[in-house]
Amino acid sequence: MTQYRPKGFIRPLRPELQSIKRATDTALIFITLYLSLHVYREPFTKEYLGLFIVCTVLFGIFAEHQEIYHGWRGDPMFDDAIRILLSWIFAFALVAGGFFVFDFGFEYSREVMELWLPLAPLSIIVLHTLRRSALSYLRLHGINTRTYAILGGNGLGRRLNVALTEMPWLGYQFIGFFDDRIENKQRREQEDMVDNIIGDFKELLDRARHGEIDHIYITLPLRAEKRINQLVQELADSTVSVNIVPDFFTFNLMQSKLSSVKGIPVVSVFDTPLNSSLDGTAKRLEDLLLCAVILPLIAIPMLLIAIAIKLTSPGPVIFKQLRYGVKGEPIEVWKFRSMTVCENGDNVKQATANDSRVTPLGGFLRRTSLDELPQFLNVLSGTMSVVGPRPHAIAHNEYYRKQIQGYMLRHKMKPGITGLAQISGCRGETETIDKMEARIHHDLEYIRNWSVILDIKIVILTIFKGFIGQQAY
């Protein structure tokens, strides 16, 4: 007789407390607006009510994008505070921009706006900090805690335990690792298993049935599908909460996300951080704003450099080279010519120390990265970004993609004038595979962790240490 087994759906975890957090933040935005009006003795009119509603809705949209209400992810409160502040600034800036473009026939008090602008996000940050501190205090003192065990004493289990241990405010108390392979020494070495395994699955099941464990995390490898299915069926004879942690870390994850297609869970392995229109728009606006600030400052220096190149060596002022852009599509990258040759074929030799092809002026331009200035025009046209993986010559791409696994993943984003690799010291000639691997490592780390905040950080660090370096020649 075939036993009926309901399949169900995998749904994202949405605690009801998140709705309360949103409601309290909305209340704080209203209260701070009311207080700002009260301080300057301004009446609370329907125009201010409309302003409150629009700002609150926009803040909610940006807060959702910044994942402010998606639970604690182990990030410091400072990072959460930055996300709250940016969400409010973006919301307020959109509203201010609307009033600048359109005439709504009503003027808001400047003093009220100057007080409300910092007061609203500051109050939300303080509330979030107090809430986290209070819950941390209670859980650290044994109130509202949960116990958990990890079934699978392997590397993934170790990483999970470290992650949970680093978040004591969650109130999780670790029982220990359990694994059936505890007696098999050879297999333990092959699986890179932990040493402090306290029991096998039978003991885990007994302790779960006696109510000693609240949560079990199964971190067995994907190839153990049948074993996992058997274990889950046996754990159904208890009231413990069972969580399966798939070992996707065996892949070189790139902006991986969990989604669903009519209830069917789908995990992306290689993806771009700009797969949403909001992220793509934010990145493009960031580039345009930086160009609006930088291009007027470098216009005269660019003109002087162009004249100097023309006067000191024969050949074009601008060197145009085909390189790979986003999605690996060829783009034309502009640079000030710094060599006596303009190589752009299947065999492009990297610049080396004391390279005879580099002109005297070109050597100075390369050491100071001034030869890269025309690439801001590439950014303006949309083929490049201010921050991103540096574009390589097509000949170099075709060579290294065969030597380094995951090399082409760096083209998931537009190439940049500067990037994480450049501020980390990975510049100049890559005469060994190790040096190129180090550069690719930083490029992929950038894509994995991309955010507007990270871009701003890289731009600032570039100003102080990214332009000039001993490896640039």
Side-chain angles (χ1 to χ4, degrees), residues 13 18 51 63 71 137 140 171 180 182-183 196 213 216 223 239 291 297 312 409 468:
L13 181 62
Q18 305 303 327
L51 177 65
Y137 177 83
L140 285 172
D180 285 343
I182 185 173
E183 301 298 337
N196 54 334
I213 301 173
I216 292 177
R223 62 178 179 272
T239 59
C291 283
L297 298 177
T312 55
L409 293 176
I468 300 175

Side-chain angles (χ1 to χ4, degrees), residues 40-308:
Y40 292 100
R41 302 183 183 278
E42 291 283 340
F44 189 87
T45 62
K46 63 179 181 179
E47 285 80 11
Y48 281 105
L49 177 61
L51 177 65
F52 157 72
I53 293 174
V54 173
C55 285
T56 302
V57 171
L58 290 175
F59 173 76
I61 294 173
F62 287 113
E64 180 67 23
H65 176 255
Q66 294 290 335
E67 300 183 354
I68 292 174
Y69 302 109
H70 287 207
W72 297 338
R73 299 167 295 177
D75 295 336
M77 187 59 219
F78 177 79
D79 290 353
D80 284 347
I82 293 296
R83 293 188 182 96
I84 293 170
L85 184 61
L86 285 177
S87 298
W88 177 253
I89 290 176
F90 289 153
F92 203 89
L94 278 180
V95 173
F99 279 99
F100 181 78
V101 175
F102 304 101
D103 182 13
F104 293 97
F106 180 82
E107 291 186 3
Y108 294 98
S109 168
R110 179 177 176 179
E111 291 82 4
V112 170
M113 294 298 100
E114 289 177 347
L115 178 58
W116 188 42
L117 176 60
L119 191 59
L122 179 62
S123 62
I124 294 174
I125 291 171
V126 170
L127 178 63
H128 283 217
T129 303
L130 291 175
R131 181 191 296 125
R132 177 185 287 199
S133 300
L135 290 175
S136 298
Y137 177 83
L138 293 174
R139 287 166 175 168
L140 285 172
H141 288 77
I143 301 175
N144 190 28
T145 60
R146 298 289 186 272
T147 58
Y148 73 95
I150 296 179
L151 178 57
N154 48 28
L156 178 60
R158 185 189 298 110
R159 293 181 63 175
L160 176 64
N161 184 46
V162 170
L164 291 173
T165 303
E166 290 177 346
M167 296 186 290
W169 53 81
L170 294 179
Y172 278 13
Q173 297 179 356
F174 183 48
I175 299 296
F177 292 100
F178 295 81
D179 203 300
D180 285 343
R181 300 163 292 180
I182 185 173
E183 301 298 337
N184 193 330
K185 182 178 179 180
Q186 181 179 1
R187 192 169 182 183
R188 287 182 62 180
E189 293 176 351
Q190 292 175 349
E191 297 288 341
D192 187 28
M193 295 177 67
V194 299
D195 295 325
N196 54 334
I197 297 175
I198 65 174
D200 57 12
F201 174 72
K202 183 178 182 301
E203 183 175 350
L204 175 64
L205 182 59
D206 290 339
R207 298 182 68 167
R209 286 171 175 170
H210 286 86
E212 300 178 21
I213 301 173
D214 297 311
H215 293 271
I216 292 177
Y217 292 91
I218 301 177
T219 62
L220 298 177
L222 293 174
R223 62 178 179 272
E225 177 186 358
K226 292 183 179 179
R227 179 59 175 154
I228 294 174
N229 184 51
Q230 177 188 350
L231 297 175
V232 169
Q233 291 186 44
E234 294 188 46
L235 287 170
D237 188 29
S238 70
T239 59
V240 70
S241 297
V242 180
N243 308 272
I244 297 178
V245 185
D247 190 8
F248 292 117
F249 293 102
T250 56
F251 308 105
N252 185 15
L253 298 181
M254 182 65 60
Q255 283 291 328
S256 58
K257 297 178 179 65
L258 174 65
S259 58
S260 65
V261 179
K262 290 190 175 181
I264 303 172
V266 177
V267 177
S268 62
V269 178
F270 302 140
D271 205 348
T272 170
L274 306 180
N275 57 1
S276 71
S277 56
L278 185 59
D279 288 327
T281 302
K283 180 69 167 171
R284 184 59 180 154
L285 286 175
E286 170 197 317
D287 286 336
L288 293 177
L289 287 174
L290 288 173
C291 283
V293 173
I294 295 173
L295 279 173
L297 298 177
I298 65 175
I300 294 179
M302 286 180 63
L303 177 61
L304 296 176
I305 291 171
I307 295 174

